[in-house]
Amino acid sequence: PDDMFMGEMAFLLSNRRSATVIAKGAAVLIKISKQDFVNLIRENPHYGIFLARLLAQRLARLNARTARLNTEYLKLHAICEEHELLP
């Protein structure tokens, strides 16, 4: 709810989009060309700050998830070593 899906990674890296979105209900899709978006950022620098914050939030979530997975891996690895399950 109240979320947006921008495709900012593809935009910034000049790649094709790699994700698929399916709406559960009514949604609005707005297509903005790369040049129009660049012009919007030039005219409204806070859009660039918004984009940077969005990317920073996603990176922070990914870092937290990676740390959790690493912790779980280390726990499992220790258990496997304890029970001599590793080669």
Side-chain angles (χ1 to χ4, degrees):
D2 300 323
D3 199 1
M4 64 166 38
F5 192 77
M6 289 184 52
E8 66 285 345
M9 295 296 287
F11 166 75
L12 291 169
L13 299 173
S14 297
N15 291 337
R16 295 192 69 189
R17 301 227 334 101
S18 60
T20 301
V21 175
I22 299 173
K24 288 184 178 181
V28 176
L29 174 66
I30 301 171
K31 182 177 180 180
I32 302 172
S33 73
K34 184 173 186 172
Q35 189 58 52
D36 286 343
F37 191 69
V38 168
N39 290 338
L40 284 170
I41 291 174
R42 281 190 186 123
E43 295 168 10
N44 305 281
H46 63 279
Y47 289 173
I49 294 169
F50 171 81
L51 183 57
R53 283 185 182 152
L54 178 67
L55 291 169
Q57 289 169 351
R58 290 184 182 173
L59 182 58
R61 282 195 305 265
L62 181 59
N63 285 342
R65 183 172 184 237
T66 300
R68 283 192 307 272
L69 289 172
N70 188 54
T71 299
E72 290 301 314
Y73 167 78
L74 293 174
K75 287 178 185 176
L76 289 172
H77 191 270
I79 291 169
C80 288
E81 280 183 331
E82 181 182 323
H83 290 57
E84 299 179 2
L85 299 173
L86 295 174

